[in-house]
PDB file of all heavy atoms in Angstrom:
ATOM      1  N   HIS A 165     147.921  94.546 143.341  1.00  0.00           N
ATOM      2  CA  HIS A 165     146.711  93.926 143.951  1.00  0.00           C
ATOM      3  C   HIS A 165     146.118  92.853 143.064  1.00  0.00           C
ATOM      4  O   HIS A 165     145.012  92.395 143.330  1.00  0.00           O
ATOM      5  CB  HIS A 165     145.641  95.055 144.192  1.00  0.00           C
ATOM      6  CG  HIS A 165     146.135  96.061 145.195  1.00  0.00           C
ATOM      7  ND1 HIS A 165     146.370  95.760 146.522  1.00  0.00           N
ATOM      8  CD2 HIS A 165     146.469  97.351 144.991  1.00  0.00           C
ATOM      9  CE1 HIS A 165     146.809  96.843 147.157  1.00  0.00           C
ATOM     10  NE2 HIS A 165     146.866  97.845 146.274  1.00  0.00           N
ATOM     11  N   PHE A 166     146.903  92.406 142.063  1.00  0.00           N
ATOM     12  CA  PHE A 166     146.411  91.353 141.175  1.00  0.00           C
ATOM     13  C   PHE A 166     145.977  90.084 141.899  1.00  0.00           C
ATOM     14  O   PHE A 166     144.896  89.606 141.660  1.00  0.00           O
ATOM     15  CB  PHE A 166     147.508  91.078 140.088  1.00  0.00           C
ATOM     16  CG  PHE A 166     146.978  90.166 139.036  1.00  0.00           C
ATOM     17  CD1 PHE A 166     146.288  90.679 137.906  1.00  0.00           C
ATOM     18  CD2 PHE A 166     147.176  88.778 139.075  1.00  0.00           C
ATOM     19  CE1 PHE A 166     145.793  89.852 136.931  1.00  0.00           C
ATOM     20  CE2 PHE A 166     146.704  87.962 138.113  1.00  0.00           C
ATOM     21  CZ  PHE A 166     146.004  88.489 137.008  1.00  0.00           C
ATOM     22  N   PRO A 167     146.841  89.565 142.810  1.00  0.00           N
ATOM     23  CA  PRO A 167     146.387  88.348 143.513  1.00  0.00           C
ATOM     24  C   PRO A 167     145.052  88.484 144.234  1.00  0.00           C
ATOM     25  O   PRO A 167     144.292  87.551 144.270  1.00  0.00           O
ATOM     26  CB  PRO A 167     147.552  88.101 144.504  1.00  0.00           C
ATOM     27  CG  PRO A 167     148.737  88.744 143.900  1.00  0.00           C
ATOM     28  CD  PRO A 167     148.155  90.002 143.211  1.00  0.00           C
ATOM     29  N   GLU A 168     144.796  89.631 144.810  1.00  0.00           N
ATOM     30  CA  GLU A 168     143.515  89.846 145.531  1.00  0.00           C
ATOM     31  C   GLU A 168     142.305  89.748 144.541  1.00  0.00           C
ATOM     32  O   GLU A 168     141.254  89.219 144.908  1.00  0.00           O
ATOM     33  CB  GLU A 168     143.493  91.197 146.238  1.00  0.00           C
ATOM     34  CG  GLU A 168     144.412  91.272 147.455  1.00  0.00           C
ATOM     35  CD  GLU A 168     145.826  91.794 147.156  1.00  0.00           C
ATOM     36  OE1 GLU A 168     146.365  91.542 146.079  1.00  0.00           O
ATOM     37  OE2 GLU A 168     146.410  92.406 148.072  1.00  0.00           O
ATOM     38  N   ALA A 169     142.525  90.328 143.361  1.00  0.00           N
ATOM     39  CA  ALA A 169     141.407  90.246 142.382  1.00  0.00           C
ATOM     40  C   ALA A 169     141.133  88.800 142.010  1.00  0.00           C
ATOM     41  O   ALA A 169     139.952  88.398 141.863  1.00  0.00           O
ATOM     42  CB  ALA A 169     141.799  91.055 141.128  1.00  0.00           C
ATOM     43  N   VAL A 170     142.144  88.013 141.871  1.00  0.00           N
ATOM     44  CA  VAL A 170     141.992  86.591 141.533  1.00  0.00           C
ATOM     45  C   VAL A 170     141.312  85.864 142.693  1.00  0.00           C
ATOM     46  O   VAL A 170     140.375  85.086 142.580  1.00  0.00           O
ATOM     47  CB  VAL A 170     143.335  85.918 141.167  1.00  0.00           C
ATOM     48  CG1 VAL A 170     143.188  84.433 140.996  1.00  0.00           C
ATOM     49  CG2 VAL A 170     143.869  86.523 139.843  1.00  0.00           C
ATOM     50  N   GLN A 171     141.845  86.087 143.911  1.00  0.00           N
ATOM     51  CA  GLN A 171     141.322  85.473 145.141  1.00  0.00           C
ATOM     52  C   GLN A 171     139.839  85.735 145.341  1.00  0.00           C
ATOM     53  O   GLN A 171     139.070  84.871 145.660  1.00  0.00           O
ATOM     54  CB  GLN A 171     142.148  85.925 146.348  1.00  0.00           C
ATOM     55  CG  GLN A 171     141.623  85.414 147.691  1.00  0.00           C
ATOM     56  CD  GLN A 171     141.728  83.933 147.830  1.00  0.00           C
ATOM     57  OE1 GLN A 171     142.764  83.375 147.698  1.00  0.00           O
ATOM     58  NE2 GLN A 171     140.635  83.290 148.112  1.00  0.00           N
ATOM     59  N   ALA A 172     139.463  87.021 145.050  1.00  0.00           N
ATOM     60  CA  ALA A 172     138.037  87.360 145.257  1.00  0.00           C
ATOM     61  C   ALA A 172     137.102  86.569 144.379  1.00  0.00           C
ATOM     62  O   ALA A 172     136.005  86.165 144.765  1.00  0.00           O
ATOM     63  CB  ALA A 172     137.843  88.880 145.038  1.00  0.00           C
ATOM     64  N   GLU A 173     137.559  86.325 143.098  1.00  0.00           N
ATOM     65  CA  GLU A 173     136.710  85.537 142.196  1.00  0.00           C
ATOM     66  C   GLU A 173     136.728  84.082 142.578  1.00  0.00           C
ATOM     67  O   GLU A 173     135.611  83.408 142.548  1.00  0.00           O
ATOM     68  CB  GLU A 173     137.235  85.714 140.736  1.00  0.00           C
ATOM     69  CG  GLU A 173     137.028  87.102 140.165  1.00  0.00           C
ATOM     70  CD  GLU A 173     135.586  87.539 140.126  1.00  0.00           C
ATOM     71  OE1 GLU A 173     134.747  86.805 139.508  1.00  0.00           O
ATOM     72  OE2 GLU A 173     135.255  88.556 140.760  1.00  0.00           O
ATOM     73  N   LEU A 174     137.846  83.542 142.984  1.00  0.00           N
ATOM     74  CA  LEU A 174     137.936  82.133 143.376  1.00  0.00           C
ATOM     75  C   LEU A 174     137.083  81.880 144.659  1.00  0.00           C
ATOM     76  O   LEU A 174     136.450  80.853 144.805  1.00  0.00           O
ATOM     77  CB  LEU A 174     139.333  81.688 143.617  1.00  0.00           C
ATOM     78  CG  LEU A 174     140.249  81.595 142.384  1.00  0.00           C
ATOM     79  CD1 LEU A 174     141.729  81.349 142.780  1.00  0.00           C
ATOM     80  CD2 LEU A 174     139.757  80.472 141.473  1.00  0.00           C
ATOM     81  N   ALA A 175     137.062  82.882 145.502  1.00  0.00           N
ATOM     82  CA  ALA A 175     136.312  82.799 146.779  1.00  0.00           C
ATOM     83  C   ALA A 175     134.814  82.681 146.498  1.00  0.00           C
ATOM     84  O   ALA A 175     134.062  82.185 147.309  1.00  0.00           O
ATOM     85  CB  ALA A 175     136.589  84.010 147.693  1.00  0.00           C
ATOM     86  N   GLN A 176     134.367  83.148 145.320  1.00  0.00           N
ATOM     87  CA  GLN A 176     132.964  83.058 144.911  1.00  0.00           C
ATOM     88  C   GLN A 176     132.708  81.760 144.138  1.00  0.00           C
ATOM     89  O   GLN A 176     131.710  81.633 143.449  1.00  0.00           O
ATOM     90  CB  GLN A 176     132.582  84.236 144.068  1.00  0.00           C
ATOM     91  CG  GLN A 176     132.606  85.534 144.812  1.00  0.00           C
ATOM     92  CD  GLN A 176     132.399  86.780 143.903  1.00  0.00           C
ATOM     93  OE1 GLN A 176     131.442  86.723 143.118  1.00  0.00           O
ATOM     94  NE2 GLN A 176     133.257  87.718 143.980  1.00  0.00           N
ATOM     95  N   ASN A 177     133.667  80.877 144.211  1.00  0.00           N
ATOM     96  CA  ASN A 177     133.577  79.545 143.553  1.00  0.00           C
ATOM     97  C   ASN A 177     133.456  79.694 142.028  1.00  0.00           C
ATOM     98  O   ASN A 177     132.733  78.931 141.386  1.00  0.00           O
ATOM     99  CB  ASN A 177     132.394  78.709 144.071  1.00  0.00           C
ATOM    100  CG  ASN A 177     132.651  77.235 143.915  1.00  0.00           C
ATOM    101  OD1 ASN A 177     133.760  76.785 143.826  1.00  0.00           O
ATOM    102  ND2 ASN A 177     131.571  76.493 143.795  1.00  0.00           N
TER     103      ASN A 177
END
Side-chain angles (χ1 to χ4, degrees):
H165 298 293
F166 189 84
E168 289 92 327
V170 172
Q171 175 64 54
E173 292 301 301
L174 290 172
Q176 296 172 49
N177 204 27

